[in-house]
Amino acid sequence: MKIATVLGTRPEIIKMAPIIDEIARRGIDQIVLHTGQHYDEEMSDAFFRDLEIPAPDYNIHVGSGTHGRQTGLMMKGIEEVLINEKPDIVLVQGDTNAVLAGALVASKLHIAVGHVEAGLRSFDMTMPEELNRRAADVCSSMYFIPTEESAINLLAEGFSRKNLIITGNTVVDACFRHLEIARKKGFSQKSLASLNIEEMDNILTLTMHRAENVDDKRRVTHIIEALKELDYMNIIFPIHPRTKNTLQNFGLFDELNDLGHVHIIKPIGYLDFLQLTSLSTLILTDSGGLQEEAITLDVPALTLRYNTERPETVTAGGNILVGADKDAILKYVKKIVEDEDFAQKMKKAENPYGQGDAAKRTVDAIVDYYDEGLLDIVAPEDIMTSFTRKMMNVEDDITVAEFETDNNALIHMVFDGKKMIFPKDDLNIKGMMITYDERE
Ligand code: UD1
Ligand code: UDP
């Protein structure tokens, strides 16, 4: 078996590293293809080093550009590699342009696509990420889903439960594996070491790069107005290159940089960043990955967005959406710093992203599919199954797995009263309403 991974940005490298590592550990043939969307040393190469994975086998160097140009160049480059390498499955991760390009190209070549971190939805169709992740899900054969909530999104869109595999999120694997290593090493970046972070109180780590925030002068100004008033915090801001560019273009960079309590530094490596996060009183961010890492490392998070495709972090109590609302930002930072009970509740929020074995579960599932011939993409000879979906109220005391065996069926949806729940094998469905397909 040969597995190809397509990645292109900082978070994809971080979240695919545990899977790349797991594939290598099992001696399975693999190639890694970098689209070149992120190319600065501190946005790309540094992560291959910190996470101890080999440099990519291919880099198609698409660089920066408009979405159409970037995605088009990626598709051309990825197609050439896949035609040549003929992998059995192509893995894409998350919601970047690499995911859209990789999934589309591979599925048109009739190569199975495995979408890592599938099923997330912000329901905000103005976000390029929402379009990318939805399109990738349409092209995929295997869905590696972090939580039941995300799996339900896919069920509700009509995806068959058959290929939905709940794995947790590999970000937990990466955090758990690297935090201890990071602590032993100490800070490697000079700017962080010289700031003497360990001695600081009230550290607020800030990251932002979402187009809807940093490309919008009105929104970014509101956020900066809040930062100015947070002079009782030590704000550490490893700045994303996109954000540096836009702040400079808006003429806002110098003003922010001149504030004594705001330390703007270059993006930092993963090991430095993990230490910084774990020493922080709170995280202020619009990053997807950081919302997950904050709850994994028991650090309260305030998210600079009005919606999130990670609602589990909010319902668990570890994350609050403050948007670009100055008053909300000021209110909740103050509350976390001054109200110990409130801060403790946020820190104790249960991590919904699993135990750190997502990579193992992902590779286990790929191996099973390969062994059973399920990675072969062939035209269906019988399309009738899509018309036989049935619905019933279950009266028997029976689990999902028992019902499926007894009836040679596959259950798709389960409703307990008005609430839709994920049909786990051991779920007792007595008194619930189900939809299911009967197999021949
Ligand atoms: C991309 C992803 C986003 C992800 C983020 C992670 C898409 C649509 N967006 O956004 O989902 O959350 O990566 O960080 O795929 N730049 C550099 N050096 C680099 C990379 C970028 O200077 O190495 C600058 C360029 O000016 C570029 C801008 O940053 O135009 C934006 O980069 P781009 O890759 O287009 O989008 P991100 O904002 O990084
Ligand atoms: N990160 C990092 N150094 C930094 C900023 C972030 O290592 O200076 C890591 C962070 O730990 C997280 C990931 O980058 O795992 C998040 O990436 P980003 O915010 O760029 O993308 P998103 O998750 O929003 O797609």
Side-chain angles (χ1 to χ4, degrees):
M1 174 169 56
K2 187 193 275 186
I3 303 176
T5 294
V6 176
L7 46 73
T9 65
R10 169 169 74 185
E12 292 166 84
I13 305 167
I14 294 168
K15 289 177 172 176
M16 283 311 292
I19 295 179
I20 293 170
D21 217 41
E22 183 68 23
I23 297 169
R25 216 179 49 75
R26 299 187 193 201
I28 299 170
D29 199 8
Q30 71 171 325
I31 57 159
V32 175
L33 195 168
H34 195 315
T35 63
Q37 179 172 348
H38 283 178
Y39 43 85
D40 289 345
E41 144 73 28
E42 62 265 20
M43 294 298 286
S44 177
D45 289 2
F47 293 91
F48 286 88
R49 263 200 319 277
D50 274 5
L51 290 141
E52 296 176 1
I53 50 170
D57 302 282
Y58 296 91
N59 190 323
I60 50 183
H61 297 291
V62 296
S64 302
T66 61
H67 284 275
R69 186 183 147 75
Q70 210 176 43
T71 311
L73 286 173
M74 282 180 200
M75 288 178 70
K76 184 171 173 294
I78 295 168
E79 188 175 60
E80 283 164 15
V81 174
L82 296 186
I83 287 174
N84 210 16
E85 290 279 357
K86 300 185 179 45
D88 296 288
I89 183 166
V90 171
L91 300 182
V92 292
Q93 194 285 331
D95 52 23
T96 67
N97 289 341
V99 177
L100 173 63
L104 208 49
V105 166
S107 57
K108 287 200 171 186
L109 290 172
H110 304 162
I111 300 172
V113 174
H115 187 187
V116 177
E117 204 182 74
L120 277 64
R121 297 289 183 265
S122 68
F123 303 99
D124 176 356
M125 298 305 281
T126 67
M127 289 179 73
E129 289 86 358
E130 183 74 357
L131 300 171
N132 289 343
R133 61 172 87 93
R134 282 178 186 252
D137 283 335
V138 171
C139 300
S140 298
S141 304
M142 296 187 79
Y143 302 83
F144 305 107
I145 308 169
T147 64
E148 280 184 26
E149 227 159 325
S150 292
I152 287 174
N153 288 335
L154 291 173
L155 290 179
E157 287 173 24
F159 289 89
S160 165
R161 181 170 73 92
K162 200 163 51 160
N163 303 313
L164 308 188
I165 302 145
I166 298 176
T167 55
N169 196 311
T170 55
V171 82
V172 182
D173 306 27
C175 270
F176 286 177
R177 191 174 310 175
H178 294 281
L179 184 59
E180 277 317 303
I181 301 173
R183 283 187 175 143
K184 280 187 193 134
K185 279 196 172 163
F187 287 113
S188 66
Q189 219 212 32
K190 276 200 202 109
S191 55
L192 278 176
S194 63
L195 279 172
N196 211 2
I197 303 271
E198 285 94 342
E199 303 298 314
M200 280 184 181
D201 286 332
N202 289 350
I203 297 174
L204 182 160
T205 296
L206 167 69
T207 79
M208 56 172 172
H209 70 277
R210 291 274 153 226
E212 65 266 25
N213 279 332
V214 302
D215 294 1
D216 180 334
K217 189 169 182 185
R218 196 181 55 85
R219 274 168 79 154
V220 86
T221 303
H222 288 165
I223 296 169
I224 291 177
E225 287 304 316
L227 297 177
K228 281 188 198 163
E229 291 187 25
L230 291 172
D231 54 3
Y232 58 98
M233 300 302 292
N234 285 300
I235 300 178
I236 315 289
F237 183 16
I239 194 165
H240 190 289
R242 175 187 204 110
T243 313
K244 188 169 185 190
N245 289 343
T246 54
L247 290 187
Q248 283 172 336
N249 292 341
F250 292 150
L252 295 168
F253 182 83
D254 290 340
E255 185 187 358
L256 188 61
N257 200 26
D258 287 345
L259 297 172
H261 63 290
V262 177
H263 308 280
I264 303 184
I265 57 177
K266 280 178 144 190
I268 55 179
Y270 189 59
L271 300 182
D272 282 342
F273 198 81
L274 275 181
Q275 291 181 80
L276 178 61
T277 308
S278 65
L279 290 170
S280 299
T281 302
L282 69 111
I283 304 291
L284 184 62
T285 193
D286 61 13
S287 159
L290 208 39
Q291 291 173 64
E292 297 156 349
E293 280 170 356
I295 202 163
T296 303
L297 298 172
D298 302 328
V299 181
L302 299 180
T303 295
L304 296 161
R305 288 177 51 186
Y306 295 97
N307 56 52
T308 179
E309 55 292 310
R310 277 110 176 149
E312 304 88 345
T313 57
V314 178
T315 41
N319 184 13
I320 298 171
L321 302 183
V322 290
D325 179 339
K326 178 183 164 188
D327 293 340
I329 298 170
L330 292 176
K331 173 179 155 187
Y332 284 109
V333 173
K334 192 162 187 281
K335 202 153 171 60
I336 290 168
V337 172
E338 290 183 357
D339 184 341
E340 185 53 27
D341 284 350
F342 185 81
Q344 277 305 327
K345 267 194 200 131
M346 289 191 79
K347 284 186 203 171
K348 286 190 181 141
E350 199 179 330
N351 180 8
Y353 294 115
Q355 310 304 319
D357 57 357
K360 182 180 173 303
R361 286 169 184 251
T362 301
V363 182
D364 279 349
I366 295 171
V367 171
D368 284 351
Y369 267 53
Y370 177 76
D371 288 346
E372 289 169 31
L374 296 172
L375 295 182
D376 302 332
I377 308 295
V378 287
E381 286 174 6
D382 168 17
I383 57 162
M384 289 311 287
T385 48
S386 55
F387 299 104
T388 59
R389 194 154 293 181
K390 294 177 179 167
M391 190 185 264
M392 72 178 285
N393 279 309
V394 181
E395 284 166 11
D396 300 339
D397 197 0
I398 194 167
T399 65
V400 166
E402 287 162 353
F403 180 94
E404 290 183 333
T405 310
D406 291 358
N407 296 283
N408 196 18
L410 178 74
I411 295 179
H412 293 285
M413 297 191 191
V414 177
F415 292 90
D416 183 10
K418 286 184 180 163
K419 191 170 182 284
M420 189 169 161
I421 47 183
F422 188 77
K424 278 203 288 202
D425 283 349
D426 59 356
L427 177 74
N428 191 312
I429 48 178
K430 183 174 182 188
M432 298 186 192
M433 206 271 285
I434 62 169
T435 68
Y436 64 103
D437 283 340
E438 265 173 9
R439 299 194 184 101
E440 285 303 302

